[in-house]
Amino acid sequence: MRERTRHREKVVMSRRGTTPTVRLRRLASELRKLRAAADMTRDEVTEITSINGATLYRLETAKARPQVRTLRTLLDLYKVEGPLREELQAILKESAERSWLHTFERELPDQYTAYIGFEQEAQRLLNYESLFVPGLLQTEDYARAVIRSMPPMASREEVEARIEARLQRQALLAQERPLHLWAVIDEAVLHRHVGGRNVMKAQLRKLHEVSQEPNITLQVVPFNGGAHPGMHGSFIIMQFGEGNEDVIYIEGTTADLFLENETDIQRYNLVFEHLRAVAASPEATRAMVAAVLEAEIK
């Protein structure tokens, strides 16, 4: 009998390597589908291939990356040939590649590196911020002021690594196939003098400039909009395409949260839709940013 796939639960990530990449999630999903199409249980696969049952479970739930020979054995068993076989082997190879992020592994918290790994593979980000300019849109001076305000337990090395990593993340918005960012911020973000008046003026200029980029949409929820669901806190919805489910990221003071449960994904997408509806239009937002900047210059 075919086994039912369990619903994924809300997960708090706490150890390096516990967060699967999007590629591994895709590979795991395909392996589950292929076994189901072959009408085989895990025990049957284990009996035929001698692949340990616990190992097979970990591969199908993206908790481990298969070795090349293990993947070949499974693809042979499931009689996978042609383009699909080549695609799955390419996914395995790509999942093992290391990015610029590995240079910061010692300084950055595990949960933050996990987030950046997801962000690098996302096609679209829906970001609501109630207190800060979104990290992907921050100037270096603004980012430095924000990161230096971290709790005192953060080391100097961690602070500098976070600043450098944040600046490198911004390259996603300017690459050949850029990340699409839809950012909604509370009007309070425009008025809080992070880093001082000069830093804020430069940040407002950048917001005005980037809001005109085709892959960036910026909206502001005005003060006169009253109460709204974003008042409960900031969040990011990462969307990947190609059948991969969204991942919700919520940054906290002591721990970051990744949500992958279908109910949570639907809830946060609904909240973001509401925020977009109550926020000023992108054109009105651009005018609002320009007005605040003009007032700061005077």
Side-chain angles (χ1 to χ4, degrees), residues 71 110 148 160 164:
L71 179 62
D110 298 347
R148 280 181 171 172
E160 291 303 317
E164 181 61 27

Side-chain angles (χ1 to χ4, degrees), residues 5-20:
T5 303
R6 293 188 180 95
H7 292 293
R8 287 182 296 178
E9 299 296 329
K10 181 172 68 174
V11 181
V12 179
M13 305 302 177
S14 60
R15 300 188 303 276
R16 190 178 305 283
T18 57
T19 306

Side-chain angles (χ1 to χ4, degrees), residues 174-279:
Q175 59 191 8
E176 185 176 351
R177 297 181 64 180
L179 173 70
H180 287 261
L181 172 65
W182 195 311
V184 178
I185 61 177
D186 192 277
E187 186 177 351
V189 174
L190 303 180
H191 297 279
R192 183 179 298 277
H193 281 190
V194 174
R197 192 168 186 177
N198 289 335
V199 169
M200 200 61 206
K201 285 190 290 187
Q203 179 62 74
L204 290 168
R205 288 192 189 96
K206 178 169 183 174
L207 282 180
H208 191 268
E209 292 170 2
V210 299
S211 67
Q212 302 176 62
E213 296 294 330
N215 61 309
I216 299 174
T217 302
L218 178 66
Q219 290 183 268
V220 171
V221 179
F223 286 141
N224 61 15
H228 59 80
M231 295 173 69
H232 293 285
S234 303
F235 60 90
I236 298 174
I237 303 173
M238 293 176 280
Q239 299 179 332
F240 305 96
E242 297 182 359
N244 289 295
E245 297 178 5
D246 298 353
V247 175
I248 313 298
Y249 175 69
I250 302 172
E251 186 175 8
T253 302
T254 58
D256 299 344
L257 200 63
F258 292 84
L259 305 179
E260 301 179 79
N261 181 277
E262 183 178 352
T263 301
D264 292 323
I265 291 172
Q266 292 177 348
R267 181 182 297 116
Y268 275 91
N269 273 284
L270 182 62
V271 168
F272 197 82
E273 286 297 324
H274 185 86
L275 289 169
R276 288 198 291 202
V278 300

Side-chain angles (χ1 to χ4, degrees), residues 3-261:
E3 299 155 356
R4 294 183 179 178
T5 303
R6 293 188 180 95
H7 292 293
R8 287 182 296 178
E9 299 296 329
K10 181 172 68 174
V11 181
V12 179
M13 305 302 177
S14 60
R15 300 188 303 276
R16 190 178 305 283
T18 57
T19 306
T21 67
V22 174
R23 294 184 181 94
L24 278 186
R25 290 200 306 160
R26 168 76 189 286
L27 187 58
S29 175
E30 291 296 335
L31 289 176
R32 292 196 304 271
K33 290 177 184 177
L34 289 169
R35 182 170 58 78
D39 198 21
M40 301 177 70
T41 66
R42 291 197 184 100
D43 288 341
E44 289 171 336
V45 173
T46 295
E47 183 177 349
I48 295 172
T49 64
S50 297
I51 297 173
N52 182 275
T55 298
L56 185 59
Y57 169 78
R58 288 174 60 79
L59 299 183
E60 290 188 355
T61 54
K63 290 180 171 60
R65 183 173 58 243
Q67 296 181 350
V68 173
R69 65 175 179 273
T70 302
L71 179 62
R72 287 175 180 167
T73 297
L74 291 172
L75 296 181
D76 289 342
L77 176 64
Y78 302 144
K79 296 180 171 55
V80 179
E81 300 293 343
L84 179 57
R85 186 183 185 99
E86 293 175 1
E87 180 183 3
L88 296 181
Q89 290 176 326
I91 291 174
L92 176 60
K93 180 180 178 181
E94 291 167 359
S95 71
E97 293 176 352
R98 306 182 82 191
S99 70
W100 57 266
L101 185 59
H102 78 275
T103 61
F104 299 106
E105 285 179 348
R106 291 186 177 182
E107 290 80 16
L108 296 179
D110 298 347
Q111 295 162 326
Y112 187 45
T113 58
Y115 167 73
I116 296 176
F118 273 128
E119 184 182 69
Q120 288 180 304
E121 298 186 33
Q123 293 183 3
R124 192 166 184 245
L125 253 62
L126 308 180
N127 187 184
Y128 170 70
E129 293 290 345
S130 58
L131 298 174
F132 304 113
V133 170
L136 290 176
L137 302 180
Q138 293 177 4
T139 65
E140 181 174 353
D141 288 337
Y142 185 99
R144 187 173 297 276
V146 169
I147 293 170
R148 280 181 171 172
S149 69
M150 293 169 58
M153 67 282 295
S155 66
R156 183 181 64 83
E157 290 77 13
E158 182 180 338
V159 169
E160 291 303 317
R162 276 182 174 268
I163 294 170
E164 181 61 27
R166 184 160 302 181
L167 297 178
Q168 292 210 36
R169 285 169 50 208
Q170 295 178 1
L172 293 171
L173 297 172
Q175 59 191 8
E176 185 176 351
R177 297 181 64 180
L179 173 70
H180 287 261
L181 172 65
W182 195 311
V184 178
I185 61 177
D186 192 277
E187 186 177 351
V189 174
L190 303 180
H191 297 279
R192 183 179 298 277
H193 281 190
V194 174
R197 192 168 186 177
N198 289 335
V199 169
M200 200 61 206
K201 285 190 290 187
Q203 179 62 74
L204 290 168
R205 288 192 189 96
K206 178 169 183 174
L207 282 180
H208 191 268
E209 292 170 2
V210 299
S211 67
Q212 302 176 62
E213 296 294 330
N215 61 309
I216 299 174
T217 302
L218 178 66
Q219 290 183 268
V220 171
V221 179
F223 286 141
N224 61 15
H228 59 80
M231 295 173 69
H232 293 285
S234 303
F235 60 90
I236 298 174
I237 303 173
M238 293 176 280
Q239 299 179 332
F240 305 96
E242 297 182 359
N244 289 295
E245 297 178 5
D246 298 353
V247 175
I248 313 298
Y249 175 69
I250 302 172
E251 186 175 8
T253 302
T254 58
D256 299 344
L257 200 63
F258 292 84
L259 305 179
E260 301 179 79
N261 181 277

